[in-house]
Structure formats: structure tokens, C-alpha cells
Amino acid sequence: MRILLLMLLFLSFAYSLGLVLANNTEVGVNLLFSQAPTMNLGLLMILCLILGIVIGILLALLIFRVLQNKWEISRLQKANTNLQEQITQANMVIDRQANAPTVEEAVYGATAVNVQDKIMPNAHPNANVHDGSSLTKQKRDY
């Protein structure tokens, strides 16, 4: 890579030298608002070429930066919509879990009421009723 760069640099230097030697006439330069002293036409062409290259590189970097910012904005917008979808799905799961029946409701049914409370309202909730006329649900303490 360095050899290629050195060859390119050498060729541009040789071209510039040939341009100055081939165009050795003196010309006056009018800059609209002022007059530059007379200079070699080849040297003037090289200066204009270098100035054009520098301005072109600066504009290319500016345009590339603008495009890079646009690409970054679009990538972040896609990530934002993806995260919004994930939040929506998570909220739906949370709502489902909040509205899901508890274990007792799932096992005993949504209308499960302690039968013992209906039959014997004054009885202790953990007391067993063994008269055979009703079913009771006992709570287990773990």
C-alpha cells in the first residue's frame, strides 16, 4: 500500500513539474476585486487544481457526515419502533398476568366459596366439619 501511495505521489509531482515547464508563459490574474501579480500559467493551474481538490475533499467529508447522520437517525428510529413493540408486548403480558385467575380460583373455580362459611357462619375458618353434609376446603400452612 505504501509503495502504491509513493508511486501516486511521484506521478502527481512529475505531472505538476511537466505542467509548469510546458506552460511557462506569464499571465495576469484578475480576481474581480483585486489584481494578482503576473505568474506562470502552469503554476496557476497547479494552484487551482490543488485548491479544487481541497475544496472537493472538504465538501465530500461534509456530505458524508450528513449521510452518516441520516443513516444513524434511521437506525435509531428502527430500534425505537422495535423497543416500542417490545414495551407493548410486555404490557400485554403484564395485563394478562394481572387478570389471570389465581391458583385457588383455577383449582376450585371462580365461584369457589368456602362451603363451611355458608353452613356454619360462626365456625372457625380452619375448623374441619365432618358431618358429611358438606365439603370443605382446608388451607394448608407451609
Side-chain angles (χ1 to χ4, degrees):
M1 184 68 179
R2 285 186 180 179
I3 295 173
L4 182 63
L5 188 60
L6 286 174
M7 292 285 282
L8 187 62
L9 187 63
F10 177 73
L11 287 175
S12 63
F13 179 72
Y15 177 74
S16 299
L17 185 63
L19 192 62
V20 169
L21 294 176
N23 297 302
N24 58 1
T25 58
E26 297 288 324
V27 291
V29 180
N30 185 4
L31 300 173
L32 295 180
F33 299 111
S34 66
Q35 184 75 26
T38 60
M39 59 176 32
N40 190 342
L41 180 62
L43 184 61
L44 180 65
M45 291 173 61
I46 290 173
L47 288 175
C48 290
L49 182 68
I50 290 172
L51 185 63
I53 289 172
V54 168
I55 290 173
I57 288 173
L58 291 175
L59 286 176
L61 288 175
L62 179 67
I63 290 172
F64 179 72
R65 182 167 291 162
V66 168
L67 290 177
Q68 191 176 22
N69 287 341
K70 285 184 180 180
W71 293 331
E72 182 71 14
I73 288 170
S74 67
R75 184 188 67 82
L76 290 174
Q77 285 175 342
K78 287 178 185 177
N80 190 15
T81 56
N82 186 20
L83 290 174
Q84 289 292 339
E85 289 174 4
Q86 288 179 359
I87 287 172
T88 304
Q89 290 175 356
N91 285 335
M92 288 172 39
V93 169
I94 289 170
D95 287 341
R96 241 185 265 134
Q97 288 178 352
N99 295 329
T102 62
V103 174
E104 289 181 358
E105 289 175 347
V107 171
Y108 298 114
T111 60
V113 176
N114 196 347
V115 177
Q116 179 181 354
D117 290 341
K118 283 187 176 180
I119 296 173
M120 300 175 65
N122 295 335
H124 190 272
N126 289 335
N128 292 331
V129 176
H130 294 290
D131 63 354
S133 64
S134 65
L135 296 174
T136 61
K137 176 174 68 170
Q138 294 180 352
K139 292 185 180 179
R140 294 185 183 177
D141 295 329
Y142 292 101

